Amino acid sequence: MASDLNPASKPPWDLKARFSDASPGKLEPVTMRKRAVGASGSGEWQEVETWAFVPDDLPPVIDWRGVKGELFDEFAGAHAALGRVNGLVHAVPNPEILRQALWLREARLSSKIEGIDTTALDMVLAGEEDGKANPGREALNAVRAVQFGIESLEPYSGKLVRAMHEKLLDGVRGEELRPGEFRDVPVYIGVAGRPDRARFVPPSNGETVARCMGALETFVNGEWSDIPELAQVALAHYQFEAIHPFRDGNGRIGRALILHQMCALGLLDMPIVSPSGYFQRHRQEYVDRMRAVSEQGAWVEWLRFFVVAVADEAVSTRLLAERIVAAHGQFTEKLRDHAAAGRLLRLLDHVFGWPLVTAASAAKVLDVTDPTARKDLALFEELGILARTDESTYGKTWYAPAVLDVAEAEYAEFPE
């Protein structure tokens, strides 16, 4: 409730006053710098004293039996929704047609939380424009980070997290902020240039950051029979964001790691359900619930929020996945009557696997000549499977609208 999340009597920058005795961590003094701007528009650096929050190691000491009882309905609903997604994955002849559209959606929405607004088409086009930094490339890099983490088959570790972070910031804004390295300088959340008005300051020095990340790795890879799996994921996500181990990109990597952990725990058979969409739609509550854990130890409220987010997005994901399967099935039927149906069906799977294609890439995938590839692409365009990007790339690049429509979806729900 609002009164729990935003104590009216405590200014957001009065950090020490906002942390109660129930806070699952400790405050440490930290000195930061801000520039004092005078009438001339320039000024000297001034030191600012504030407080950094260092979270206790996981798991928190709480009554897990009581938590499971209080959140029984939420846990049951989430597991049922995830089970239906897993069932759909196993029922689809080629489940790989689901992966990229849903990863593009997750990355787009996760990036949107951080103020990076782009389209699914811009994201896939960015994949053809190596070296060009733009919002599409920033969001696409989030897909690449997720993909790297999942396909590495490595357990959760500092090494894996740093490698995913390096993928995230490759060739985009923030590349100068030491991608793939845990930070060794203080950072804060709040008004730029005003650490004295910080709303939150995570652990301030490199040694503490490294120690906290090592403890988080131990927790994620541990056995916790008394803690529900989804609660373990929620705890780890909060902890990662509270540590804030990088100078930039923490939110997107933290949400990418949710997919990795859910698969490792057996909650997902394919990494396609992420709560990022729900977090985006409830962005302020998402931030406030995590802050309330740090300040007040409000674990149950955070767990409820997280589990509801997973359940909600599992329902949405299943409906979107069904759209993909239906579109793929309709196009398959249209292609079966053609003489070169075998080759055309391979191309169909290819464009559902990556919804952007050129004559050259089609020719390579199908092992045919350029004229044959162009003929096939013209047929796909005629059938509505593909569309040209725009006049500036006329005849050069096609995209799959059915796939990108899913990646552009904010939410999907059952019709009334």
Side-chain angles (χ1 to χ4, degrees):
M1 292 181 290
S3 59
D4 294 330
L5 298 175
N6 298 294
S9 61
K10 300 173 183 177
W13 55 86
D14 188 359
L15 294 182
K16 195 169 186 181
R18 295 180 65 85
F19 284 79
S20 73
D21 292 339
S23 170
K26 63 181 180 180
L27 293 175
E28 294 183 344
V30 57
T31 301
M32 304 181 77
R33 296 200 307 164
K34 72 169 186 176
R35 187 178 292 278
V37 179
S40 63
S42 62
E44 298 179 353
W45 288 102
Q46 291 184 342
E47 290 188 345
V48 173
E49 300 293 332
T50 187
W51 298 90
F53 175 72
V54 180
D56 294 337
D57 295 347
L58 296 176
V61 180
I62 57 179
D63 177 12
W64 284 107
R65 179 176 294 182
V67 169
K68 286 185 277 190
E70 184 173 347
L71 301 183
F72 177 84
D73 289 343
E74 287 84 353
F75 282 122
H79 279 282
L82 290 172
R84 285 188 283 270
V85 172
N86 289 333
L88 175 64
V89 166
H90 290 292
V92 177
N94 180 12
E96 288 300 317
I97 64 174
L98 306 175
R99 189 185 298 257
Q100 285 297 339
L102 294 169
W103 276 1
L104 285 166
R105 176 177 179 267
E106 190 284 330
R108 186 181 65 79
L109 294 173
S110 183
S111 299
K112 192 173 181 179
I113 294 172
E114 308 302 328
I116 302 168
D117 208 353
T118 187
T119 68
L121 180 57
D122 284 342
M123 291 171 67
V124 295
L125 285 171
E128 306 296 312
E129 301 171 349
D130 289 338
K132 184 176 180 181
N134 54 47
R137 173 72 181 273
E138 290 186 65
L140 178 64
N141 277 6
V143 176
R144 290 171 171 168
V146 167
Q147 184 171 358
F148 177 85
I150 296 296
E151 293 181 353
S152 71
L153 301 179
E154 292 185 16
Y156 192 111
S157 68
K159 177 184 176 183
L160 176 65
V161 172
R162 291 193 299 271
M164 290 173 65
H165 185 257
E166 191 167 8
K167 295 288 184 185
L168 180 73
L169 295 188
D170 180 34
V172 298
R173 290 182 305 169
E175 191 177 29
E176 73 283 0
L177 300 177
R178 296 168 58 185
E181 295 183 37
F182 291 149
R183 61 180 173 81
D184 57 3
V185 296
V187 296
Y188 68 93
I189 297 172
V191 179
R194 293 295 304 273
D196 55 323
R197 293 297 179 98
R199 290 179 175 272
F200 182 78
V201 182
S204 61
N205 63 74
E207 183 179 341
T208 304
V209 168
R211 188 201 65 75
C212 287
M213 286 301 296
L216 176 56
E217 177 181 334
T218 298
F219 168 77
V220 171
N221 293 317
E223 297 288 337
W224 309 99
S225 59
D226 56 332
I227 304 176
E229 289 90 346
L230 272 176
Q232 294 178 38
V233 183
L235 294 176
H237 182 61
Y238 158 77
Q239 194 81 349
F240 182 89
E241 299 304 334
I243 298 168
H244 232 64
F246 300 109
R247 295 188 184 190
D248 189 26
N250 294 283
R252 285 168 288 161
I253 288 297
R255 289 183 289 276
L257 288 167
I258 291 174
L259 282 168
H260 184 278
Q261 192 178 0
M262 288 178 70
C263 287
L265 289 170
L267 293 166
L268 284 175
D269 295 336
M270 177 177 275
I272 56 176
V273 178
S274 165
S276 292
Y278 189 91
F279 292 164
Q280 160 59 23
R281 295 191 300 277
H282 302 85
R283 180 180 177 184
Q284 192 57 54
E285 185 177 4
Y286 170 51
V287 173
D288 288 344
R289 289 295 175 197
M290 288 193 287
R291 187 179 299 142
V293 174
S294 299
E295 296 174 356
Q296 305 163 35
W299 288 109
V300 174
E301 293 79 4
W302 163 247
L303 292 172
R304 177 180 286 110
F305 176 80
F306 187 94
V307 173
V308 168
V310 170
D312 194 80
E313 280 299 304
V315 171
S316 189
T317 297
R318 181 164 69 93
L319 294 171
L320 293 170
E322 287 173 349
R323 285 190 203 173
I324 298 171
V325 173
H328 187 274
Q330 291 167 5
F331 293 139
T332 296
E333 290 304 313
K334 291 181 178 181
L335 293 171
R336 285 195 191 281
D337 294 334
H338 287 269
R343 184 180 75 237
L344 296 173
L345 290 175
R346 290 206 314 276
L347 182 58
L348 181 67
D349 283 349
H350 175 72
V351 299
F352 269 71
W354 183 249
L356 195 76
V357 64
T358 63
S361 65
K364 182 177 180 180
V365 167
L366 300 175
D367 193 23
V368 296
T369 63
D370 183 80
T372 299
R374 290 183 181 277
K375 180 181 177 181
D376 290 348
L377 292 172
L379 174 62
F380 272 45
E381 188 174 358
E382 179 185 336
L383 294 175
I385 302 171
L386 294 175
R388 287 191 176 105
T389 51
D390 58 41
E391 289 301 319
S392 65
T393 55
Y394 181 84
K396 294 182 180 179
T397 308
W398 290 260
Y399 67 94
V403 178
L404 294 189
D405 284 350
V406 168
E408 283 292 332
E410 296 291 323
Y411 185 59
E413 58 186 347
F414 290 105
E416 293 284 340

